[in-house]
Amino acid sequence: MYKANINKKQTLTISLEKGRLLINNVPVTADVKELSEDSFHVLNIDGKSFNAEILDVDPAHKTAIVVVNGNKYTVELKDKYDELLHSLGMDVAGTHKMNDLKAPMPGLVLKVLVKEGDEIKKDDALLVLEAMKMENIIKASAEGVIKTIKVKEKDTCEKNQVLITFK
């Protein structure tokens, strides 16, 4: 059994029982023709026709971006093991929340690239720090929301000085 979350709005259960495809426990019969590696034509038993194209697949996050008849959908799949980890609260164990961004070295803040209240993702550039005549782009190690920026451009900082705090 799989759960497919579509655009974070609709959830479908998908299963195979005795060789039959069930969506939300309703048997589905369809004729699928592969047009190319990422493109398909689907004709269901009611005679409805669908063109589907897979734009992107992210196996690590179990997501795919699919276009069906010109409409774009983000689909997240979860199997019974993902559901079990979620019910035990272990699905968030690997996530990392940032609390403070500390200066990795002494230097001069050349540019602050974010502002308070910004939502940031892992690897987003936060600020440019000059140290030993080299410009270093300091990036986020996880996702979060900026609470306070404790430095401004042209400020000097010491190693381990808090530069940005997160909510």
Side-chain angles (χ1 to χ4, degrees), residues 1-6 10-14 23-24 76-77:
M1 194 259 317
Y2 290 92
K3 283 195 178 179
N5 187 316
I6 302 165
Q10 180 183 14
T11 302
L12 304 173
T13 58
I14 302 168
I23 297 180
N24 290 341
E76 178 184 10
L77 280 179

Side-chain angles (χ1 to χ4, degrees), residues 115-129:
K115 61 185 181 307
E116 293 178 1
D118 282 357
E119 290 185 26
I120 51 111
K121 295 188 180 357
K122 185 176 187 209
D123 293 328
D124 281 356
L126 302 175
L127 56 87
V128 180
L129 183 67

Side-chain angles (χ1 to χ4, degrees), residues 60-73:
H61 294 100
K62 297 183 180 181
T63 60
I65 298 174
V66 182
V67 175
V68 179
N69 287 349
N71 298 311
K72 194 175 190 179
Y73 301 97

